Amino acid sequence: MPGPTLDMEPVEPQSLKKLSFKSLKRALDLFSPVQGRIAPPDLESKKIRINHKINIEYGGTKNTSSQPNRQEGRPQPTVPSNVLALPGPEGSSDSQRGGSQNALVVGPSVPRTPNDTGVSGRSTDIISTSGLPERNFSTSALMERIPSRWPRPVWRAPWKNYRVISGHLGWVRSVAFDPSNTWFCTGSADRTIKIWDVGSGKLKLTLTGHIEQVRGLAVSSKHTYMFSAGDDKQVKCWDLEQNKVIRSYHGHLSGVYCLALHPTIDILLTGGRDSVCRVWDIRSKMQIYALTGHDNTVCSVFTRPTDPQVVTGSHDSTIKFWDLRNGKTISTLTHHKKSVRAMAQHPKENCFASASADNIKKFSLPRGEFLHNMLSQQKTIINAMAVNDDGVMATGGDNGSLWFWDWKSGHNFQQAQTIVQPGSLDSEAGIYAAQYDLTGTRLVTCEADKTIKMWKEDENATPETHPLNFKPPKDLRRF
């Protein structure tokens, strides 16, 4: 038998507005009697608060001078030579009484000889504070003048465009120099690879074979081989003695965006839109590893002879270090917030820079510690980055801006803007690739207006005509 049902009182439906007014009325009824009144001052509480603040601020200080002995027949302490006595409220001075009761010591309190340089060569002083407002604490504290930790950049001459090479029929997407430094090759969206003379800028050869734009190029320093990669998923090996393709490396599932050769081992590394960096044996065409771990397109890669031997940047805004022995990830850097489209390793130092739309960052090798950001922001998508032996870094952006940086300090000493060739749109000013020649005195940029531009330092520039406008960053916490 079911139990007896209880009659429930009907619940009155109430709107949110009505409930809010009820809550407001309860709050006013509770706190309105004390409205307009000020709580009586609590002197003991105020004293405790002040003493607490004083202990936090000056807890590590101590009085450097003892109370002067005023008994007759005893000598009064003298003021050291590095004590600055400030007059008191009545115009008296502690130095007139022969001592300092409240002295602010900066540096060591022992007498210094002319050969002493204080703490780490910094200047030190002792300042008397007897004339300051009376406080119930010792006012001596150790203070030092800390110089700026930011390195000052050396003066560098600005770079100028001295040659414009036309010949491609599409965007120029990649560039690579020959180890002999006599020619360089460029890959374009017109599906061709062109070889140019470095000295004269004249066309020497045109190679066809790709069916989509050529995004990556590399020239071997040990063999007569050139390697190319493109949006057609193909990676090709060209024999420069026969000027034809002798090997093709099949395995990528989508376009191949970047390419690099290992400096000591005969292996090739390619990264593409399938989010995988693949390692190939040059001779056998076999795929050694498929380095998986990125969540988006692998668009930049460089190699080193020691661990980490492979470093990749991706559109997933991460940088990964890889171990070629096991084909596994060593570590992942997550400092960037946007796609890492370009990276550049310094030719001499164990560090590298990575470029993203949010900032350009420097990291050390081999562990990948973050060093600092560059002191300016290009505020565009950076597709190209190159560093020479002299420490001049160039970065090219989608808006045609070509900025030059001092590697050591991160100072941006020049901001150049490319000029599109006649007949092209202003929006075709993007820079897609950049590389220095082997001497580091010439820079080649590949651009969206179908041209190749060559840059060099201005010989007529002097520190007087182009002064170094450098200011160290005020807030070092960002770096």
Side-chain angles (χ1 to χ4, degrees):
M1 293 291 295
T5 59
L6 299 176
D7 294 335
M8 302 294 294
E9 295 183 0
V11 179
E12 178 185 0
Q14 295 182 350
S15 65
L16 183 62
K17 185 176 180 180
K18 187 174 181 181
L19 292 173
S20 299
F21 277 122
K22 279 189 175 182
S23 177
L24 180 62
K25 184 176 182 301
R26 291 195 193 98
L28 290 176
D29 293 341
L30 183 61
F31 296 106
S32 59
V34 298
Q35 290 290 331
R37 300 180 186 177
I38 300 177
D42 188 353
L43 300 179
E44 188 65 24
S45 175
K46 182 178 179 181
K47 184 178 178 181
I48 293 173
R49 287 199 305 272
I50 292 177
N51 287 335
H52 178 67
K53 291 181 180 179
I54 289 171
N55 290 332
I56 291 177
E57 191 75 20
Y58 302 97
T61 63
K62 64 179 181 178
N63 198 353
T64 59
S65 60
S66 58
Q67 292 293 332
N69 192 350
R70 299 186 181 278
Q71 296 181 8
E72 295 182 1
R74 295 196 178 181
Q76 300 295 330
T78 59
V79 180
S81 60
N82 58 348
V83 173
L84 176 62
L86 301 180
E90 283 80 15
S92 62
S93 173
D94 284 338
S95 60
Q96 297 175 1
R97 295 193 298 268
S100 174
Q101 296 182 9
N102 294 320
L104 185 62
V105 179
V106 185
S109 59
V110 298
R112 294 184 298 172
T113 62
N115 294 328
D116 292 340
T117 56
V119 180
S120 300
R122 303 183 178 107
S123 60
T124 55
D125 292 306
I126 298 179
I127 303 174
S128 172
T129 57
S130 60
L132 300 179
E134 187 68 27
R135 294 183 186 272
N136 296 325
F137 59 91
S138 170
T139 59
S140 61
L142 183 66
M143 300 170 60
E144 298 178 356
R145 294 186 205 154
I146 302 177
S148 175
R149 294 185 289 108
W150 208 261
R152 182 171 181 82
V154 296
W155 180 85
R156 300 185 185 277
W159 290 62
K160 64 178 182 180
N161 177 220
Y162 73 96
R163 181 179 293 152
V164 179
I165 302 173
S166 300
H168 280 292
L169 301 178
W171 293 354
V172 189
R173 300 303 301 256
S174 54
V175 60
F177 270 88
D178 170 49
S180 65
N181 206 38
T182 57
W183 56 267
F184 67 94
C185 54
T186 55
S188 169
D190 61 5
R191 302 167 294 182
T192 64
I193 301 170
K194 292 183 181 291
I195 296 178
W196 312 85
D197 183 71
V198 173
S200 62
K202 294 181 179 179
L203 178 65
K204 299 179 69 174
L205 187 65
T206 300
L207 301 174
T208 58
H210 282 278
I211 58 175
E212 287 289 343
Q213 59 182 343
V214 182
R215 283 181 173 262
L217 285 172
V219 182
S220 175
S221 59
K222 297 187 291 184
H223 312 286
T224 58
Y225 296 156
M226 179 180 67
F227 300 88
S228 62
D231 279 349
D232 53 5
K233 312 177 191 176
Q234 298 184 25
V235 181
K236 296 180 181 294
C237 175
W238 303 78
D239 188 345
L240 296 176
E241 292 179 345
Q242 307 176 43
N243 296 329
K244 68 177 185 180
V245 178
I246 59 172
R247 299 184 191 94
S248 293
Y249 306 90
H250 301 284
H252 275 283
L253 306 177
S254 188
V256 187
Y257 282 16
C258 57
L259 180 148
L261 280 169
H262 197 279
T264 57
I265 313 172
D266 287 341
I267 61 173
L268 174 70
L269 298 109
T270 56
R273 211 171 67 181
D274 55 3
S275 308
V276 179
C277 177
R278 300 182 187 272
V279 185
W280 310 90
D281 186 344
I282 290 176
R283 296 286 187 181
S284 65
K285 302 183 293 184
M286 294 295 294
Q287 178 177 298
I288 303 172
Y289 289 120
L291 305 178
T292 59
H294 283 293
D295 298 330
N296 210 328
T297 304
V298 178
C299 50
S300 54
V301 61
F302 71 87
T303 64
R304 303 175 67 240
T306 57
D307 287 337
Q309 297 187 50
V310 182
V311 180
T312 57
S314 171
H315 282 189
D316 62 7
S317 72
T318 64
I319 300 170
K320 286 185 179 291
F321 291 178
W322 304 88
D323 179 15
L324 270 185
R325 296 183 187 88
N326 305 314
K328 296 182 179 179
T329 306
I330 299 176
S331 61
T332 302
L333 307 181
T334 58
H335 295 73
H336 284 286
K337 298 178 182 177
K338 297 185 179 179
S339 303
V340 184
R341 294 174 180 262
M343 295 190 300
Q345 183 185 6
H346 195 279
K348 296 180 179 179
E349 300 178 8
N350 285 326
C351 53
F352 74 98
S354 59
S356 178
D358 58 352
N359 214 326
I360 301 173
K361 300 178 183 292
K362 273 176 60 178
F363 300 92
S364 67
L365 289 170
R367 301 185 61 183
E369 292 97 343
F370 173 69
L371 297 178
H372 63 85
N373 292 331
M374 294 300 169
L375 301 187
S376 302
Q377 289 192 15
Q378 203 161 347
K379 295 183 179 178
T380 184
I381 297 175
I382 299 175
N383 299 310
M385 175 183 287
V387 187
N388 65 2
D389 292 346
D390 195 31
V392 177
M393 182 174 69
T395 55
D398 257 0
N399 58 359
S401 60
L402 182 64
W403 286 22
F404 293 90
W405 311 78
D406 177 71
W407 176 267
K408 184 177 180 181
S409 64
H411 171 59
N412 171 228
F413 66 90
Q414 184 186 0
Q415 299 180 7
Q417 183 71 30
T418 62
I419 301 173
V420 297
Q421 68 171 350
S424 299
L425 301 174
D426 291 338
S427 59
E428 292 182 322
I431 299 175
Y432 289 128
Q435 187 171 349
Y436 285 98
D437 69 345
L438 268 65
T439 63
T441 58
R442 285 173 287 203
L443 175 69
V444 173
T445 57
C446 304
E447 306 191 7
D449 61 353
K450 309 170 188 175
T451 64
I452 303 157
K453 293 185 173 66
M454 300 186 72
W455 305 73
K456 66 178 180 180
E457 287 186 345
D458 189 358
E459 302 89 351
N460 301 322
T462 62
E464 288 74 22
T465 59
H466 297 80
L468 179 65
N469 298 319
F470 172 71
K471 292 181 180 179
K474 295 180 180 179
D475 188 5
L476 294 178
R477 289 175 296 178
R478 294 191 302 113
F479 297 93

